[in-house]
Amino acid sequence: MLTQSWLDLTFVHWAVDPADVAPLLPPGTVPDTLDGVTYVGLVAFRMHRVGWLRLPGVPYLGSFPETNVRLYSVDAHGRRGVVFLSLDASRLIPVVVARLGFRMPYLWSRMRVEHLDGSTVRYTASRRWPGPQGAGGRITVRRGEPIEEPTGLEHFLTARWGMHSVFFGRSMYLPNAHPRWPLHRAELLECEEDLVTAAGLPRPAGEPVSVLYSPGVPARFGRPARPAGIPTP
């Protein structure tokens, strides 16, 4: 259904109480946990050349910075996925199409991704519409050494092969496929943000439990899965 590439990604995660996130998940899903804990992720990156079906990716409207706030979910069929609470993007037309056509929580923001040097990346965002206006912030990370074998937590936070959402009034699972993430551990140099609280969650307490960087992967989204599913790894 949909092709795209995700480039220059930074994953910042905090531990949260499953009870705090459960009311925000689609019907039929519960918080996915690791050792009794679940997580909220703030993921900043560049979307590159979104395309429909087998058509070439759109060069301008299909390429833009994006930052999402996401939770981790599992359904009765064992399918593990993500739930997006907000997706800030810098192109108005894709935001409108996603909101009206798919009821996705996209928001229009001023955004920028800057490479300050060979290993340091800065992401900035300021929400324009529909609000709260000015929500956003600034994240700066320094990329570290590549990860040969992810820890259990790093696998839990990144090895996700679909999303749970409500499409046209029904809870559905939208699968995706992409190569294994090339991951680097990263140092968080700066994190001033209010996107997590704007998405309806309490302000994260303490330092993030995980900060990762990836140069990116190509990805493909398939058709919404039928109700009878299979567990995901």
Side-chain angles (χ1 to χ4, degrees):
M1 283 181 51
L2 192 66
T3 61
Q4 56 201 246
S5 291
W6 305 322
L7 305 178
D8 292 323
L9 296 97
T10 287
F11 304 83
V12 183
H13 283 92
W14 294 268
V16 291
D17 188 332
D20 288 336
V21 307
L24 302 175
L25 300 182
T29 66
V30 296
D32 196 6
T33 61
L34 182 68
D35 298 327
V37 178
T38 193
Y39 297 86
V40 56
L42 185 65
V43 184
F45 63 102
R46 290 190 299 116
M47 185 79 81
H48 183 64
R49 294 183 74 99
V50 176
W52 292 99
L53 303 175
R54 298 185 180 275
L55 298 174
V58 181
Y60 176 75
L61 290 177
S63 297
F64 46 84
E66 180 175 319
T67 299
N68 62 62
V69 176
R70 71 189 206 178
L71 303 175
Y72 298 94
S73 53
V74 62
D75 62 22
H77 305 290
R79 295 174 297 197
R80 300 169 57 230
V82 301
V83 173
F84 293 109
L85 298 184
S86 64
L87 303 104
D88 284 76
S90 64
R91 294 275 188 263
L92 177 59
I93 291 177
V95 166
V96 171
V97 170
R99 290 182 66 89
L100 297 181
F102 300 96
R103 301 299 189 267
M104 293 288 291
Y106 266 92
L107 305 113
W108 185 33
S109 294
R110 295 181 181 89
M111 308 187 79
R112 204 169 168 189
V113 179
E114 304 171 89
H115 286 264
L116 304 183
D117 57 39
S119 62
T120 305
V121 186
R122 175 176 292 156
Y123 310 83
T124 55
S126 178
R127 189 171 294 168
R128 290 171 158 174
W129 175 83
Q133 289 192 1
R138 183 163 58 187
I139 301 170
T140 306
V141 297
R142 179 181 295 124
R143 182 183 69 247
E145 294 298 315
I147 298 173
E148 296 297 331
E149 189 61 37
T151 66
L153 176 59
E154 290 163 347
H155 180 79
F156 178 89
L157 297 174
T158 60
R160 298 279 156 169
W161 309 108
M163 60 175 286
H164 289 108
S165 189
V166 176
F167 297 97
F168 307 107
R170 296 179 57 192
S171 293
M172 292 187 181
Y173 179 78
L174 187 66
N176 67 49
H178 60 76
R180 177 177 175 174
W181 287 106
L183 292 172
H184 297 248
R185 295 194 178 95
E187 179 185 2
L188 188 61
L189 304 178
E190 183 180 28
C191 185
E192 298 177 2
E193 65 82 27
D194 55 4
L195 293 176
V196 172
T197 55
L201 287 170
R203 182 172 298 281
E207 295 298 313
V209 297
S210 175
V211 182
L212 301 171
Y213 173 85
S214 177
V217 292
R220 294 178 290 114
F221 280 89
R223 298 176 182 273
R226 296 178 179 179
I230 59 173
T232 55

